[in-house]
Every structure is written in C-alpha cells, then in structure tokens.
Amino acid sequence: MFLSLPQYEFQVPQGIREPGSRHWRVVEMPLHAPWFLLTVAHADTEGDGLGMSHTLCIAWESDLAGALQAIGADRVQGLVAMMPAWSSPTGQWFSRPVTEVWLDTHESGKFMTFTDATGEKFDGGIRGNPPKAGVASELLLRLPSVGVRRSCRRRCCASTSCSSGSR
C-alpha cells in the first residue's frame, strides 16, 4: 500500500486535473512488498499514432488482476514488478519487466503467477514458495519480450536505429 501525508499534496489547478483527483509529490511504502507499474494506452482518437499513455502504481495483486480484467490486455503497453530489497541479493529494490500474468486458483485460494522477460516464473506476493499452477489458471496478460526499447511510437524505434532522434 502507498501512504502519503498532507504536506506532500501538490495543488493542480481545477481546469487541468481530473475532477475529484488529488496529486502527491511523495508517497511512502510502509509495507515492503512487491508492487506494480502498469502502463496503459489511451485511445488514439486523432488517428495520428501519437496516442498518450498513463501509468498506474498498484500495490496489491488483486487490484492488478482487477485492472487487467477491466482495462483489457490490448491496451497494456507494459508491466513492471517492483521487488523489495529483502528479495534481492543486493539488498536494494529492483524491477522485473513482466511478460505474462496468470490468475491461478488453488485449494488455498487465488494467487497470481508472473513470467519475467527472462522466462522465469515468480509470485508477486510474499508467499515465499515457488509458484505452482493450481486447479485452474487464467491468462490475464501476455506481452512481447522487452528486448527492444521504444522511446517513441514511430515504427523506426522498433529497429536498432531511430530516425526520429528520440533514442
């Protein structure tokens, strides 16, 4: 979960912000558990290929599953699992680009299994056991491998040289 305090609120003018929204310059992570960055494309209403995206910071697996089911996998541009220091040999937080998300049903309940860019499966919770498929598994998301960095939405960025100059 994320925590913020009133002194970290950022005042955005009403004409610019979403109605009812609040903005924060700083958030804390009081519980050091994995969390997720989900980047979602907005609809390209102009048809110019320059559509916008937004990124959600999601603290719980169940909220990630709900977001993926509500948003639709076709709009997801990327997913990163932010792993806490206790799960790292370096003792620092680190990121794992995610290529697959599975919702598994087991006799003990529902849990999520992730596949990272190297093909390794891991859980996003704090179970500590290697993930094992249960009675039923539902694929929520499959993304292409993340070997190519895209810094803009032009086709040139899919190659090793970008003619737009934004690489």
Side-chain angles (χ1 to χ4, degrees), residues 61-75:
E61 283 185 2
S62 57
D63 292 328
L64 175 62
L68 290 172
Q69 290 167 330
I71 291 167
D74 59 323
R75 291 184 48 214

Side-chain angles (χ1 to χ4, degrees), residues 76-149:
V76 175
Q77 294 181 322
L79 177 62
V80 175
M82 299 302 299
M83 306 302 291
W86 56 259
S87 67
S88 166
T90 66
Q92 298 293 319
W93 283 83
F94 68 103
S95 62
R96 290 179 87 163
V98 175
T99 57
E100 288 184 352
V101 179
W102 292 85
L103 181 59
D104 295 315
T105 303
H106 191 268
E107 61 219 20
S108 61
K110 291 187 177 194
F111 63 94
M112 297 187 54
T113 301
F114 302 91
T115 305
D116 69 14
T118 67
E120 184 179 348
K121 294 192 180 309
F122 66 100
D123 71 38
I126 51 177
R127 292 189 310 273
N129 298 322
K132 295 180 180 122
V135 182
S137 294
E138 176 187 356
L139 179 64
L140 298 181
L141 179 68
R142 179 173 284 141
L143 294 171
S145 293
V146 290
V148 175
R149 181 174 178 227

